[in-house]
Each structure stands twice: as C-alpha cells, then as structure tokens.
C-alpha cells in the first residue's frame, strides 16, 4: 500500500471525526477529549495494521482490530459524517471511494 493511501486514510478519518465533533459536541474548533482519543486510537491502528503493505481499507476489513467501544464510536462517526464528507471534502471523498473499490 502506498504512503499516499495511508495519508489519505488518516486525513479522511481526521475530517470525519472533526465533522462529527463539530455537530454533536458543540465545543470550539478543537476536538473534544473523547473525539481526540478516538482519532488518536484510529490513527494508531492504521499505522500498526497487521496487514502491512497489503492493508485493505478498514471498512472492507474482515478482521477489524478495533476494541469494541472504539469500533462502535467509529461506526457512529462514519454513519454521521460519511454523507457530509462529499460536500465538505469532495476530492478526498472521491479518492477514498476509489480506494474502496481498488
Ligand atoms: S480494521 Fe483491519 S485494516 Fe483497519 S487497521 Fe485494523 S486490521 Fe488493519
Ligand atoms: Zn467530540
């Protein structure tokens, strides 16, 4: 997997968590502590993925290495922010969708 794709996955996650936090936690421009922890965890999983260079996108993964509570939180974020991403970050979203069908 290219570094570009890893960076893109990280960027996509950052944006999705930011959208979710902004709409649901109504704090300032910074992420709230719970969303910060979630993002930190997701990025850590991304860079420590046991598939290494053959890593699929997490959405297509059959293993799913997330802890149960983090997995549930990330699902909520995806559900909420997924549809909003196309308006907020169209180019990134289209690239991410292309990664999904790769
Ligand atoms: S969910 Fe799957 S693809 Fe994503 S980091 Fe964990 S093991 Fe890797
Ligand atoms: Zn938040």
């Amino acid at each position: 997997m290219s570094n570009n794709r890893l960076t893109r996955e990280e960027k996509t996650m950052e944006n999705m968590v930011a959208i979710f936090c902004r709409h649901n936690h109504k704090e300032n421009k910074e992420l709230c502590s719970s969303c910060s922890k979630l993002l930190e965890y997701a990025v850590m999983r991304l860079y420590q993925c046991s598939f290494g260079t053959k890593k699929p996108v997490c959405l297509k993964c059959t293993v799913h290495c997330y802890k149960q509570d983090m997995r549930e939180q990330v699902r909520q974020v995806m559900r909420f922010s997924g549809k909003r991403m196309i308006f907020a970050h169209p180019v990134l979203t289209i690239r991410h969708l292309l990664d999904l069908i790769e």
Side-chain angles (χ1 to χ4, degrees), residues 12 82 85-98:
T12 302
M85 276 290 286
I86 190 76
F87 299 109
H89 304 280
V91 175
L92 191 60
T93 306
I94 287 164
R95 288 205 170 132
H96 182 65
L97 291 173
L98 289 174

Side-chain angles (χ1 to χ4, degrees), residues 21 25 32 35:
C21 191
H25 301 146
C32 73
C35 289

